[in-house]
Amino acid sequence: MQQQLDEVVITRAIIDSFTGKLRAACELDAAICGAGPSGLVAATLLARAGRKVAVFESKLAPGGGMWGGGMMFNDIVVQRAARELLAGFGVRLREQARGYFVADAVEASAALVYHAVHSGALLFNCVSVADVMVRRGRVGGLVLNWTPVERLGMHVDPLIVRARVVADSTGHPASICSLLAKKNGVRLRSATGGVIGERSLDATRGEAAVVRNTRAVYPGLYVSGMAANAVAGAARMGPVFGGMLLSGQKLAQLMLRHQ
């Protein structure tokens, strides 16, 4: 017999479930801005370690730039150093050339999203970080609004979540670090004290730098992925994602030490 569906019950179920999830995110051990590869890896590892973590992604689809592979050829490459890490997420890889492992970009992106949520991380899409909360010289939370509200410039006040540590994993713009430095006149841990901006492509240097530059850049604020290279003024690297994955792994390790 076909189930008779009540549209209002459906609506209430969504409202009740989502508001419960949002209430749970009001107090966090770790808040990650951006659901790209590094942010999702970090969220998974933090959640597996028993930390209360949420990821806030401004776009509709989490996964960052990984979905499109290289120029919409939806395959990606990871180097030998990151092969085991990605395989640990259940992603199939094949050695296309010696030391170069190819994975399906859609499978890899979906796997990172799945494992983050399945591990217990809370993931919110279509949510933008409008500001950070700063108390006694330390980043201690996020100011959130719906992405359409931000993009349309609507005058709608935001909501706030508190977090022991925050990560800027927003990719090329390094938007959280830029916002913090601009609004508060503070110095970040970079050569200039601000977001230097990424340099042109050099895959070897960029991949090494993205892991090296994953670090705390201000009390309570960490940076990972391409945002880390943007803050430090390091090279971009194109559609090779090993460094992004390893950056997320390092981010989780650093955030765990400071809790």
Side-chain angles (χ1 to χ4, degrees):
M1 181 181 296
Q2 183 176 354
Q3 179 182 357
Q4 295 298 309
L5 299 176
D6 186 317
E7 294 82 358
V8 173
V9 172
I10 294 169
T11 298
R12 285 175 175 160
I14 292 171
I15 293 171
D16 291 346
S17 177
F18 184 83
T19 52
K21 183 166 62 175
L22 187 58
R23 283 177 61 87
C26 288
E27 297 270 0
L28 298 166
D29 293 319
I32 297 175
C33 309
S38 69
L40 291 171
V41 169
T44 300
L45 299 179
L46 286 164
R48 287 176 181 173
R51 299 305 191 269
K52 191 176 182 183
V53 55
V55 186
F56 300 96
E57 169 57 51
S58 64
K59 296 180 181 178
L60 176 63
M66 185 180 278
W67 292 102
M71 211 175 76
M72 294 193 296
F73 290 22
N74 62 351
D75 283 324
I76 60 167
V77 170
V78 298
Q79 60 274 55
R80 187 179 290 108
R83 176 192 179 189
E84 184 177 347
L85 177 59
L86 187 56
F89 283 81
V91 177
R92 297 167 295 179
L93 298 108
R94 62 185 182 279
E95 192 168 18
Q96 196 74 16
R98 188 174 181 182
Y100 296 80
F101 298 88
V102 173
D104 183 283
V106 174
E107 178 186 356
S109 302
L112 293 183
V113 173
Y114 169 81
H115 280 280
V117 176
H118 197 257
S119 297
L122 302 171
L123 202 163
F124 297 89
N125 56 338
C126 301
V127 173
S128 291
V129 178
D131 203 346
V132 294
M133 181 169 65
V134 179
R135 294 282 178 84
R136 296 181 292 276
R138 180 182 177 87
V139 173
L142 300 176
V143 180
L144 306 174
N145 217 324
W146 299 116
T147 298
V149 168
E150 289 292 300
R151 292 185 177 175
L152 291 172
M154 299 171 66
H155 185 70
V156 178
D157 279 331
L159 293 175
I160 296 88
V161 300
R162 184 157 44 218
R164 293 182 180 179
V165 286
V166 170
D168 184 343
S169 305
T170 60
H172 300 274
S175 57
I176 309 305
C177 291
S178 297
L179 183 153
L180 174 68
K182 181 178 179 180
K183 294 191 74 170
N184 298 278
V186 300
R187 290 185 61 83
L188 304 176
R189 187 183 167 194
S190 72
T192 65
V195 176
I196 299 172
E198 68 186 46
R199 297 184 182 274
S200 295
L201 191 144
D202 183 329
T204 299
R205 292 187 177 185
E207 283 291 280
V210 76
V211 180
R212 184 174 64 251
N213 292 325
T214 298
R215 61 187 186 222
V217 292
Y218 189 78
L221 178 63
Y222 294 79
V223 66
S224 74
M226 199 57 227
N229 276 5
V231 170
R236 67 187 299 169
M237 66 288 287
V240 55
F241 283 85
M244 298 293 184
L245 303 171
L246 294 168
S247 170
Q249 183 182 57
K250 181 180 177 183
L251 173 64
Q253 293 167 348
L254 293 172
M255 295 177 99
L256 284 169
R257 289 177 193 167
H258 287 83
Q259 291 189 33

